[in-house]
Amino acid sequence: MRRKKRPVRRLKSSAGLRNNAEKRLERYRLGLSKGYEQGLKAGLDNYEAYFEGTSIIIPSDNEVESVKACIEGIMDHTDLAYEIIVIDNSSTDGIEHYLNQLDGQVRYRILPESIGFTGAANIGFMMAKGTSILLLNNRIQPTENWLENLLLCLNSDDSIGLVGPVSNGLSGKQRMEIHFDDLEDKHEYARVNNKSDSSKWHQTDRLSGCCLLFRRELLERVGYLDEGCQETPYYADDYGLRVKLQGSSLVYARDALVYFAEQAEERVERQMSQAGHPDSSLYFSNKWRGIDSVIFDMEASAYGRDEWFKGMSAESGAKLGESAFYPQHLAVKGLGETIYWIEDCVRRPINGQWGESVICLSQLDLWRWAMGEPVPAEALTAFKGFLGEDEALRDGMLCEDSNGSSYYLENGRKRAIISRLAAECWGLDAHRQMKLTDEELSVIPDGLPIIAPVKLLQAL
């Protein structure tokens, strides 16, 4: 029986091969596009979805061994829900290879260039997905119950803003003298010390920036670290002042002992504050030069919280957060191109050409003001011009007392300008200024003081 001949498969022409390749490439592009769209949608849908746990932010700068020890300590001594986020300042010590080997256990970002400790911390804050956030120096070595006790302290009272531990490497009230050479002995000592005890929680005027725990709500109210303060202790002192300005307290927990990996018994506070970093000191001094300690005595001073927020609903004041200490009747913008006019605690998009000054703020600062109706640029230009022609006291004018202190008039109140830096940052030094007697000023009710916005060296 003769078999049928199989049909001969002819080789396709080069044109046909090219056509098939183009079809495969097109299907690949289509699949890639669909996958990107689905991933983008999933990311946007979950952008504000936070988990009940703590985001631990660890900045680094050529400190891979310290980062390793810190991460291992967290994993060994933390049973609560957490995520670790490492932000590295363009290190060349192989940290990216190390972090990549952790198979997704740690979220990280390697920056193309160094932006300093506070800049890296701010990126970590932006990436954080936890309902609480902890800024951690990579030379801190966690111990048993460290995070549990810090969280217990933080959540014990809504008025607590920041919580810190005690350690051998810190200064002031947070320093605990420990004289063990063996790490196991140290951990045994910490295990005994770190039994939860609310009697060991104490208020303080300042906290170290090496380990700071706070709620997400505080970040939304107070905002990012000031990148004008790059060194210890200035960035932590600045943040502490801003937290206290809103009536929240700073607390250290002596039942949360952690260790600081010291070299030759150098304290971190002393080591990082040596000469050679004068800019942070000068910037901090210029920013807070006019602050008075009486401001923080909320019950006894004329700047009491109730008096400050009079005329503003409690809900509005809480939502505004630090933006309540920013002036109004000026133009601001965030990351986008839209310019907003701030008035009556809302931001109004400016329609038309705006040729006046614009203050750039972070998105956190901008979002606190509710969105209002658009306003024509022509109307605002007329308002700005009005200030220079009329001798009457009007919103947006500056007044000066006999001591040279300046006040900003806004909604029938005088707002003390904390420092010259605050006036310069908001462009208030260019406003029309009137000299008033102390008697004339005394009849104008006090409003919230005006502080300088945080300096950001990056877009956030």
Side-chain angles (χ1 to χ4, degrees), residues 55-60 85-89 109 111 115-128 133-137 209 212 214 219 223-227 229-230 235-236 239 364 456 458 460:
S55 296
I56 302 175
I57 314 300
I58 306 176
S60 67
I85 301 174
V86 175
I87 308 297
D88 182 76
N89 275 303
R109 181 172 174 185
L111 303 177
I115 57 174
F117 182 92
T118 55
N122 282 339
I123 290 180
F125 294 164
M126 184 178 65
M127 293 171 58
I133 298 171
L134 189 144
L135 176 61
L136 191 64
N137 186 293
L212 284 175
F214 51 94
L219 175 65
Y224 293 113
L225 296 180
D226 193 324
E227 295 179 17
C229 300
Q230 282 291 343
Y235 67 84
Y239 208 72
L364 282 181
L456 293 178
Q458 56 187 317
L460 291 172

Side-chain angles (χ1 to χ4, degrees), residues 98-332:
Y98 161 69
L99 294 172
N100 189 50
Q101 287 182 317
L102 296 179
D103 295 327
Q105 295 181 76
V106 173
R107 296 171 60 201
Y108 67 91
R109 181 172 174 185
I110 308 297
L111 303 177
E113 58 183 8
S114 176
I115 57 174
F117 182 92
T118 55
N122 282 339
I123 290 180
F125 294 164
M126 184 178 65
M127 293 171 58
K129 305 296 286 184
T131 52
S132 58
I133 298 171
L134 189 144
L135 176 61
L136 191 64
N137 186 293
N138 59 61
R139 293 175 70 185
I140 291 290
Q141 297 177 351
T143 57
E144 185 174 328
N145 290 333
W146 73 294
L147 184 56
E148 288 89 336
N149 289 350
L150 290 174
L151 283 168
L152 282 173
C153 179
L154 177 66
N155 295 324
S156 67
D157 190 333
D158 290 341
S159 68
I160 297 177
L162 297 174
V163 173
V166 291
S167 177
N168 59 308
L170 306 183
S171 62
K173 296 177 180 179
Q174 288 180 266
R175 180 165 179 83
M176 182 175 282
E177 298 292 345
I178 303 166
H179 303 287
F180 294 115
D181 294 326
D182 185 83
L183 186 59
E184 289 302 319
D185 290 340
K186 288 183 178 181
H187 279 293
E188 177 60 22
Y189 182 85
R191 187 188 66 78
V192 174
N193 180 87
N194 290 3
K195 292 179 180 178
S196 182
D197 183 355
S198 60
S199 68
K200 293 183 177 181
W201 303 341
H202 307 286
Q203 284 197 29
T204 183
D205 291 330
R206 61 180 299 272
L207 287 171
S208 166
C210 288
C211 184
L212 284 175
L213 177 69
F214 51 94
R215 303 178 189 88
R216 172 171 293 279
E217 289 80 4
L218 186 84
L219 175 65
E220 294 168 353
R221 283 196 294 118
V222 179
Y224 293 113
L225 296 180
D226 193 324
E227 295 179 17
C229 300
Q230 282 291 343
E231 290 83 35
T232 295
Y234 303 108
Y235 67 84
D237 287 349
D238 174 86
Y239 208 72
L241 284 172
R242 291 156 59 197
V243 168
K244 290 194 291 184
L245 198 60
Q246 295 192 43
S248 295
S249 61
L250 280 55
V251 175
Y252 67 97
R254 294 192 68 85
D255 60 349
L257 168 64
V258 296
Y259 291 107
F260 186 82
E262 295 177 304
Q263 296 175 353
E265 292 301 316
E266 288 182 319
R267 296 187 187 182
V268 63
E269 306 286 0
R270 184 172 60 215
Q271 181 189 24
M272 298 183 68
S273 302
Q274 290 174 340
H277 298 302
D279 291 344
S280 289
S281 173
L282 180 62
Y283 175 84
F284 179 86
S285 175
N286 289 339
K287 181 176 180 178
W288 296 107
R289 182 165 299 180
I291 202 73
D292 191 327
S293 60
V294 77
I295 283 180
F296 302 115
D297 186 357
M298 296 296 180
E299 295 181 357
S301 77
Y303 290 105
R305 191 169 177 79
D306 292 340
E307 179 64 25
W308 276 354
F309 286 100
K310 189 176 291 182
M312 183 188 304
S313 71
E315 181 181 354
S316 176
K319 184 176 181 181
L320 283 174
E322 187 161 299
S323 296
F325 297 90
Y326 294 168
Q328 301 191 64
H329 302 108
L330 42 72
V332 302

Side-chain angles (χ1 to χ4, degrees), residues 261-421:
E262 295 177 304
Q263 296 175 353
E265 292 301 316
E266 288 182 319
R267 296 187 187 182
V268 63
E269 306 286 0
R270 184 172 60 215
Q271 181 189 24
M272 298 183 68
S273 302
Q274 290 174 340
H277 298 302
D279 291 344
S280 289
S281 173
L282 180 62
Y283 175 84
F284 179 86
S285 175
N286 289 339
K287 181 176 180 178
W288 296 107
R289 182 165 299 180
I291 202 73
D292 191 327
S293 60
V294 77
I295 283 180
F296 302 115
D297 186 357
M298 296 296 180
E299 295 181 357
S301 77
Y303 290 105
R305 191 169 177 79
D306 292 340
E307 179 64 25
W308 276 354
F309 286 100
K310 189 176 291 182
M312 183 188 304
S313 71
E315 181 181 354
S316 176
K319 184 176 181 181
L320 283 174
E322 187 161 299
S323 296
F325 297 90
Y326 294 168
Q328 301 191 64
H329 302 108
L330 42 72
V332 302
K333 68 186 294 292
L335 292 179
E337 296 301 318
T338 304
I339 299 174
Y340 300 94
W341 180 254
I342 305 301
E343 184 176 6
D344 296 329
C345 299
V346 300
R347 53 187 164 106
R348 305 176 63 186
I350 298 177
N351 285 343
Q353 191 69 30
W354 179 255
E356 303 289 336
S357 61
V358 179
I359 310 300
C360 294
L361 300 174
S362 75
Q363 292 297 100
L364 282 181
D365 290 324
L366 191 67
W367 289 337
R368 296 192 200 106
W369 287 301
M371 182 70 78
E373 295 295 323
V375 57
E378 298 79 11
L380 299 178
T381 303
F383 169 84
K384 298 282 283 188
F386 210 26
L387 295 177
E389 300 170 2
D390 201 318
E391 291 296 323
L393 295 178
R394 292 186 175 275
D395 285 347
M397 294 185 68
L398 293 188
C399 297
E400 185 178 298
D401 65 12
S402 58
N403 296 320
S405 299
S406 294
Y407 299 85
Y408 185 69
L409 296 186
E410 183 185 290
N411 298 330
R413 295 178 178 273
K414 66 179 187 293
R415 303 184 59 185
I417 302 174
I418 291 298
S419 63
R420 181 176 295 276
L421 180 64

Side-chain angles (χ1 to χ4, degrees), residues 51-55 78-83 147 151:
F51 74 96
E52 288 291 332
T54 304
S55 296
T78 312
D79 295 327
L80 302 178
Y82 67 88
E83 65 171 353
L147 184 56
L151 283 168

